[in-house]
């Protein structure tokens, strides 16, 4: 509470500005602020869900409700949650138009509407979807988050909405957590690189002047949300302070520096402090240390969670005061406009200082000015690329590069004339290819876009002899419910086939409903695979799942394994092209695929954790006993690495290391290869990670072709956060490795940074 009080006053940026201040923007903000009443100010800090405005059809606004919410309470923001139905672009645009007209009439300040666009225009029934972030991470190709971000912003704007709650950058370091597929995987560098691309693509190059084809991001969920001790969503995390700064903050830092205009706060807690009242992180790390003048919005009803769930506040008044004084600028209080009156009371009684109120209001106004909403609360602008072929082609290309070949004993590519049994609960489902955040919150692609192909349909189009027997089906409301009554029929069908393509994994879920108690793939699906394999026919496992469900006992039964994760509407077409050999695989895992329930690792473990190194002899290339390691993925061709070189053998903290490696395609077909550069700090004052990803490039190679891949690695990237919380680079040896090659370099000075971030 002490730190909250100290940091709770107006957080005038003290550090270097993360987003350069623009005098015109600031002048407009001050002018509007001056004319506002306390009621109007309080309203700006509140965000409600669209359901409080909808009429009974849920396709239009109820004018009386609009009068109450905007006219009386003067609420400044609305968000859209699609639990069981989804609006078209036209309906969304018409609703927003009405809200804006009322807002301008009653308050003279535009409302800001935000949407959960997670993998493209997730919440428009007629927009474009791309593979989920976890798939884009598997491409190791920065082009795809860029393309998706651009399309997402463009189509969202086309629906008259200027704000998306994306990108997600929670490090997916615990496979039990149900949201790991929403982000770019387990590694801070990969996550930071991809999220930064997406942020700039969504917002454009100038965060002070967002044009009509771009939108504001809300980077989320700040921070440490992805590693709950229990593995369950929205439950407490325990994170060492150095890890918090060095790993969890990294993607947020990259995005704040790239101009991210808003951030959404982690719904749970770190080390006992609910993030929504963590003044040190919200006001300290972000607003003061980065000089960031953007807006912090809560997650869903999370101020209420301070008293309802976490019991750090006695009642709503205390919770609102704690949150706002800690640095929250906008409260997503989905159904309760009375929150406005709570803020008014708290300001009148002095529990929220007026300076903090005005600072928060400035941040809301600044966002609206930067988005051009005062000039154009609505806009007439043509969006010819909405739902275009171009976006569809990009989505397909991303899916192609994201599906990961994990095992192949030679059965793939499938023979043209093979008779193929397609089976499994994921074989004929579009919903499972998309996952959650697809048309509705929990995912309902089959209801909205039946025109796209399921895996069964795509294989039927590509191969002449395809039969189908699902074996196991998803059954009913509960995403974990399964009906295994078809196993016998599938086994009979398998006897007449040359090869079995078993599409297994998970039904769709999102957030807390995705919690579960056993990371193993379901017993019924395992039984299906075991019985199919017992026929003696080769089994190709297609994993269609949001997190790596354990398959240690059935993997040895498979002739080939492909993890398609959540590749979206064109994922099945991409898979058919890959299985047939029309295209080549190039995806690599952006997470560790664990094998044992008591051995859930990430790739950057401590050397001592490895069995081979327990005796003290370090092996930096050792891999834990996992199913498949981070960065693993096969191809139909083969690549050979040679000549890893570092330009200078010694370096100092301010240097940039120039690293190069030759990569050759030594197989017989063209292919793409993600080239991954790692470093290992051999001796450090805190136990170093065995290795860390420091660079990646995706290249294309014809058979027989060699390319030299060059990395420019700032020496400061090799620094770590020490026991005192400060960044340090220590004198000593580092090992750089890439594709089985390694080179040693030596840092000749120790440097400790005075600033909290490098
Ligand atoms: C989720 C967020 C989402 C918000 C608004 C929350 O439950 O955690 O990711 O942006 O709802 O829909």
């Amino acid at each position: 509470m002490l730190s909250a009080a100290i940091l709770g006053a107006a957080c005038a940026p003290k550090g270097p500005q993360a987003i350069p201040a623009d005098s015109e923007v600031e002048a407009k903000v001050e002018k509007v602020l001056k004319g506002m009443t306390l009621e109007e100010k309080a309203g700006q800090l509140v965000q409600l869900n669209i359901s409080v405005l909808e009429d009974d059809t849920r396709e239009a606004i109820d004018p009386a409700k609009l009068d109450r919410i905007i006219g009386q309470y003067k609420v400044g923001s609305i968000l859209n949650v699609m639990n069981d139905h989804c609006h078209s672009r036209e309906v969304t645009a018409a609703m927003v138009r009405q809200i804006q007209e009322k807002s301008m009439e009653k308050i003279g300040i535009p409302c800001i509407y935000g949407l959960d666009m997670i993998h493209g225009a997730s919440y428009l029934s007629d927009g474009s979807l791309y593979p989920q972030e976890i798939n884009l991470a598997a491409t190791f190709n920065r082009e795809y988050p860029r393309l998706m971000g651009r399309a997402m912003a463009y189509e969202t704007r086309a629906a008259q909405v200027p704000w998306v709650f994306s990108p997600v950058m929670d490090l997916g370091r615990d496979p039990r957590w149900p949201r790991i597929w929403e982000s770019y995987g387990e590694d801070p560098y990969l996550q930071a690189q991809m999220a930064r691309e997406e942020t700039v693509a969504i917002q454009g190059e100038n965060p002070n002047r967002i044009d009509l084809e771009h939108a504001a991001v809300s980077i989320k969920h700040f921070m440490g949300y992805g590693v709950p001790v229990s593995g369950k969503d929205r439950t407490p995390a325990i994170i060492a302070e150095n890890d918090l700064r060095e790993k969890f903050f990294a993607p947020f830092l990259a995005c704040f520096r790239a101009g991210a205009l808003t951030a959404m706060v982690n719904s749970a807690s770190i080390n006992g402090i609910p993030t929504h009242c963590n003044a040190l992180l919200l006001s300290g790390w972000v607003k003061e240390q980065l000089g960031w003048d953007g807006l912090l919005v809560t997650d869903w009803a999370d101020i209420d969670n301070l008293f309802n769930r976490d019991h750090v506040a006695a009642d709503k008044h205390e919770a609102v005061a704690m949150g706002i004084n800690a640095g929250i600028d906008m409260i997503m209080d989905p159904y309760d406009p009375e929150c406005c009156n709570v803020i008014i009371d708290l300001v009148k009684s002095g529990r929220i200082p007026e300076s903090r109120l005005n600072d928060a209001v400035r941040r809301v106004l600044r966002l609206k000015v930067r988005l051009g909403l005062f000039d154009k609360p609505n806009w007439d602008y043509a969006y010819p690329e909405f739902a275009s072929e171009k976006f569809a082609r990009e989505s397909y290309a991303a899916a192609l590069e994201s599906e990961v070949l994990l095992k192949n004993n030679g059965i793939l590519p499938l023979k043209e004339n093979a008779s193929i049994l397609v089976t499994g609960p994921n074989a004929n489902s579009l919903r499972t290819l998309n996952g959650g955040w697809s048309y509705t919150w929990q995912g309902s692609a089959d209801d909205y876009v039946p025109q796209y192909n399921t895996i069964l349909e795509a294989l039927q189009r590509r191969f002449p002899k395809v039969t189908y027997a699902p074996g196991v089906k998803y059954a009913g409301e509960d995403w974990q419910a399964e009906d295994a009554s078809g196993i016998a029929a599938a086994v009979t069908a398998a006897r007449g086939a040359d090869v079995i393509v078993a599409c297994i994994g998970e039904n769709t879920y999102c957030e807390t409903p995705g919690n579960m108690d056993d990371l193993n793939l379901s017993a019924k699906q395992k039984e299906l695979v075991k019985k199919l394999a017992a026929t003696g026919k080769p089994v190709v496992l297609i994993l269609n799942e949001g997190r790596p469900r354990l398959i240690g006992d059935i993997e040895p039964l498979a002739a080939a394994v492909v993890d398609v994760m959540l590749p979206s509407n064109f994922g099945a077409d991409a898979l058919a092209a890959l299985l047939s050999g029309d295209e080549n695989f190039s995806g690599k895992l952006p997470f560790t695929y664990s094998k044992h329930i008591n051995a859930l690792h990430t790739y950057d473990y401590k050397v001592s954790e490895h069995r081979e190194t327990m005796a003290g002899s370090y092996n930096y290339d050792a891999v834990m006993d996992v199913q498949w390691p981070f960065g693993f993925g096969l191809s139909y061709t083969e690549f050979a690495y040679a000549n890893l070189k570092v330009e200078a053998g010694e370096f100092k903290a301010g240097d940039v290391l120039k690293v190069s490696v030759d990569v050759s395609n030594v197989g017989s077909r063209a292919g793409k290869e993600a080239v991954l550069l790692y470093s290992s700090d051999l001796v450090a004052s805190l136990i170093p990670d065995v290795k860390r990803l420091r660079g990646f490039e995706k290249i294309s190679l014809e058979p027989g072709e060699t390319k030299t891949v060059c990395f420019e690695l700032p020496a400061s990237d090799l620094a770590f956060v020490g026991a005192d919380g400060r960044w340090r680079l220590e004198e000593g040896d580092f090992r750089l490795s890439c594709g089985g090659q390694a080179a040693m370099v030596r840092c000749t000075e120790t440097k400790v940074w005075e600033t909290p971030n490098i």
Side-chain angles (χ1 to χ4, degrees):
M1 290 316 296
L2 184 65
S3 55
I6 292 167
L7 292 164
C11 263
K14 291 192 189 111
Q17 289 276 114
I19 307 170
D22 179 302
S23 54
E24 261 179 58
V25 171
E26 296 311 309
K28 174 77 185 169
V29 168
E30 292 310 317
K31 192 168 162 219
V32 178
L33 184 74
K34 241 187 227 147
M36 288 172 76
T37 63
L38 175 57
E39 287 67 27
E40 287 167 350
K41 289 180 181 176
Q44 288 301 305
L45 307 195
V46 175
Q47 183 182 55
L48 298 181
N49 187 38
I50 185 69
S51 53
V52 300
L53 295 177
E54 284 170 344
D55 68 11
D56 292 344
T57 69
R58 301 183 65 195
E59 291 281 299
I61 300 280
D62 178 327
K65 291 181 180 168
L66 190 61
D67 263 336
R68 177 168 171 266
I69 298 298
I70 304 289
Q72 184 186 325
Y73 285 101
K74 308 189 184 316
V75 164
S77 180
I78 301 290
L79 88 153
N80 223 5
V81 161
M82 305 296 194
N83 273 349
D84 51 9
H85 81 305
C86 181
H87 293 144
S88 65
R89 167 192 174 186
E90 203 187 330
V91 168
T92 308
M95 286 175 143
V96 178
R97 209 173 270 282
Q98 246 179 299
I99 295 170
Q100 290 299 46
E101 278 161 13
K102 184 62 70 182
S103 194
M104 294 315 283
E105 176 201 327
K106 297 286 186 186
I107 322 175
I109 295 175
C111 185
I112 181 163
Y113 201 99
L115 274 175
D116 277 299
M117 300 309 211
I118 304 296
H119 60 125
S122 320
Y123 269 176
L124 294 179
S125 58
D126 46 0
S128 305
L129 291 188
Y130 287 63
Q132 297 277 2
E133 275 187 30
I134 198 70
N135 283 69
L136 301 191
T139 70
F140 281 88
N141 187 341
R142 293 173 182 82
E143 184 71 6
Y144 292 116
R146 212 178 290 150
L147 292 173
M148 180 183 76
R150 193 200 158 243
M152 177 198 287
Y154 182 94
E155 294 196 341
T156 306
R157 272 283 185 172
Q160 300 285 320
V161 176
W163 192 16
V164 296
F165 303 139
S166 232
V168 184
M169 54 199 71
D170 305 310
L171 298 184
R173 293 171 77 78
D174 186 328
R176 298 169 304 163
W177 187 51
R179 302 191 73 171
I180 68 166
W181 50 272
E182 292 182 45
S183 82
Y184 291 107
E186 76 182 34
D187 177 59
Y189 177 77
L190 176 61
Q191 186 86 237
Q193 290 282 308
M194 302 302 242
R196 188 190 178 284
E197 293 295 338
E198 190 183 330
T199 294
V200 175
I202 293 171
Q203 294 196 161
E205 294 293 333
N206 183 357
N208 274 306
R209 300 232 176 338
I210 308 277
D211 67 24
L212 294 176
E213 295 191 0
H214 293 88
V217 296
S218 192
I219 59 178
K220 68 188 191 184
H221 305 78
F222 180 75
M223 72 178 163
Y225 180 36
V227 287
V229 175
S230 68
K232 304 281 202 306
D233 189 39
R234 286 176 154 78
T235 61
I238 305 292
I239 307 177
E241 206 187 310
N242 62 311
D243 267 356
L244 199 58
R245 174 74 73 178
E246 187 179 321
K247 294 183 177 170
F248 293 88
F249 192 43
F252 289 95
L253 179 62
C255 293
F256 283 127
R257 285 183 167 159
L261 289 175
T262 82
M264 188 184 291
V265 176
N266 165 9
S267 203
S269 60
I270 305 171
N271 304 341
I273 307 177
T275 326
H276 281 78
C277 63
N278 193 326
L280 183 68
L281 297 184
L282 304 181
S283 294
W285 284 33
V286 177
K287 293 182 175 177
E288 294 191 354
Q289 292 174 6
L290 295 179
W292 184 70
D293 64 5
L295 172 149
L296 288 175
V297 61
T298 72
D299 200 342
W300 190 263
D302 274 317
I303 292 296
D304 285 1
N305 279 333
L306 295 179
F307 66 97
N308 277 344
R309 183 192 67 189
D310 290 334
H311 300 268
V312 293
D315 55 25
K316 179 118 179 181
H317 276 71
E318 188 174 7
V320 171
M322 280 172 91
I324 291 185
N325 287 335
I328 295 293
D329 303 306
M330 183 183 279
I331 299 178
M332 186 190 291
D333 199 342
Y335 309 114
D336 187 11
E338 270 302 305
C339 186
C340 301
N341 287 332
V342 175
I343 297 173
I344 293 169
D345 283 354
L346 290 166
V347 174
K348 283 188 176 158
S349 65
R351 289 169 77 186
I352 295 177
E354 227 170 292
S355 54
R356 176 74 268 267
L357 172 77
N358 285 337
D359 175 55
V361 176
R362 273 193 188 94
R363 289 169 187 270
V364 179
L365 296 176
R366 191 178 287 125
L367 174 67
K368 294 180 177 181
V369 176
R370 283 172 162 160
L371 285 163
L373 295 178
F374 279 90
D375 298 332
K376 287 195 175 85
N378 290 111
W379 45 92
D380 290 317
Y381 188 83
Y383 290 90
E385 284 181 38
F386 185 89
S388 60
E389 263 302 303
K390 177 172 175 281
F391 293 165
R393 277 196 306 274
E394 290 170 4
S395 177
Y396 172 75
L400 261 186
E401 280 194 41
S402 74
E403 299 183 357
V404 189
L405 179 62
L406 293 170
K407 176 176 182 180
N408 186 13
N409 71 1
I411 186 92
L412 300 180
L414 294 173
K415 291 201 177 65
E416 285 295 326
N417 274 317
S419 76
I420 303 169
L421 170 69
V422 178
T423 180
N426 296 57
N428 199 22
S429 164
L430 207 54
R431 168 180 174 179
T432 60
L433 288 176
N434 277 287
W437 298 122
S438 304
Y439 307 102
T440 62
W441 181 44
Q442 297 293 313
S444 329
D446 292 298
D447 300 337
Y448 287 93
V449 285
Q451 69 269 30
Y452 299 118
N453 291 319
T454 63
I455 296 176
L456 171 66
E457 290 160 351
L459 290 178
Q460 280 168 335
R461 290 164 80 107
R462 180 58 188 79
F463 293 93
K465 293 188 221 156
V466 171
T467 52
Y468 173 55
V472 173
K473 281 184 166 175
Y474 295 121
E477 290 289 296
D478 174 4
W479 68 270
Q480 296 190 76
E482 294 176 351
D483 168 4
S485 60
I487 291 184
V491 170
T492 307
R495 293 207 177 92
D498 297 326
V499 56
I500 301 160
V501 174
C503 306
I504 56 176
E506 296 184 316
N507 200 351
T508 70
Y509 53 79
C510 199
E511 301 185 35
T512 311
N515 285 344
M516 50 155 203
D517 293 323
D518 188 352
L519 188 59
N520 278 288
L521 185 75
S522 79
K524 287 175 180 159
Q525 295 192 49
K526 285 190 173 182
E527 184 193 339
L528 171 67
V529 173
K530 286 176 187 164
K531 292 202 165 140
L532 290 169
T535 63
K537 299 297 167 88
V539 179
V540 177
L541 291 184
I542 307 297
L543 308 175
N544 171 205
E545 54 191 13
R547 59 194 143 188
R549 301 293 294 266
L550 305 186
I551 53 165
D553 51 343
I554 57 168
E555 178 275 326
L557 306 177
V561 183
V562 178
D563 191 353
V564 301
M565 296 169 281
L566 304 172
S568 194
N569 287 329
F570 299 98
D573 301 326
L575 181 67
L578 290 163
L579 292 182
S580 63
D582 296 344
E583 297 284 351
N584 200 350
F585 284 95
S586 70
K588 290 189 174 182
L589 289 178
F591 50 78
T592 304
Y593 204 121
S594 294
K595 192 188 221 167
H596 310 287
I597 193 69
N598 284 2
L600 304 178
H601 300 288
T602 50
Y603 82 97
D604 49 351
Y605 56 87
K606 306 296 180 201
V607 185
S608 60
E609 290 177 64
H610 196 275
R611 236 187 277 152
E612 276 180 35
T613 56
M614 291 292 271
S617 76
Y618 287 3
N619 174 0
Y620 295 93
D621 294 322
V623 172
M624 298 292 245
D625 186 19
V626 294
Q627 198 74 60
W628 294 287
F630 174 88
F632 183 78
L634 302 167
S635 160
Y636 290 140
T637 190
E638 262 182 66
F639 300 99
Y641 286 68
N643 299 323
L644 178 69
K645 284 188 206 134
V646 190
E647 207 178 74
E650 296 192 337
F651 66 92
K652 290 196 157 51
D655 292 343
V656 174
L657 281 70
K658 298 205 164 117
V659 186
S660 64
V661 67
D662 294 341
V663 186
S664 306
N665 182 344
V666 295
S668 54
R669 5 180 341 166
K672 291 184 181 173
E673 170 75 341
V675 181
L676 311 185
L677 177 71
Y678 294 95
S679 74
S680 306
D681 188 346
L682 301 199
V683 178
S685 57
L686 279 191
I687 303 171
D689 295 331
V690 66
K691 63 179 177 176
R692 293 287 294 277
L693 185 71
R694 301 300 188 190
F696 60 88
E697 287 302 327
K698 188 85 175 260
I699 56 168
S700 297
L701 290 171
E702 293 299 318
E705 191 182 359
T706 297
K707 278 185 183 159
T708 302
V709 178
C710 301
F711 296 96
E712 298 214 335
L713 176 62
S716 56
D717 280 11
L718 302 177
F720 65 96
V721 177
D724 61 357
R726 293 199 291 173
W727 283 96
R728 50 196 297 125
L729 178 67
E730 294 176 348
E731 189 178 337
D733 292 331
F734 288 79
R735 180 180 188 264
L736 300 179
S737 59
C738 183
Q741 300 270 302
M744 298 296 295
V745 278
R746 185 169 178 76
C747 178
T748 57
E749 66 172 4
T750 292
K751 168 159 177 141
V752 180
W753 275 262
E754 294 306 324
T755 50
N757 299 297
I758 300 181

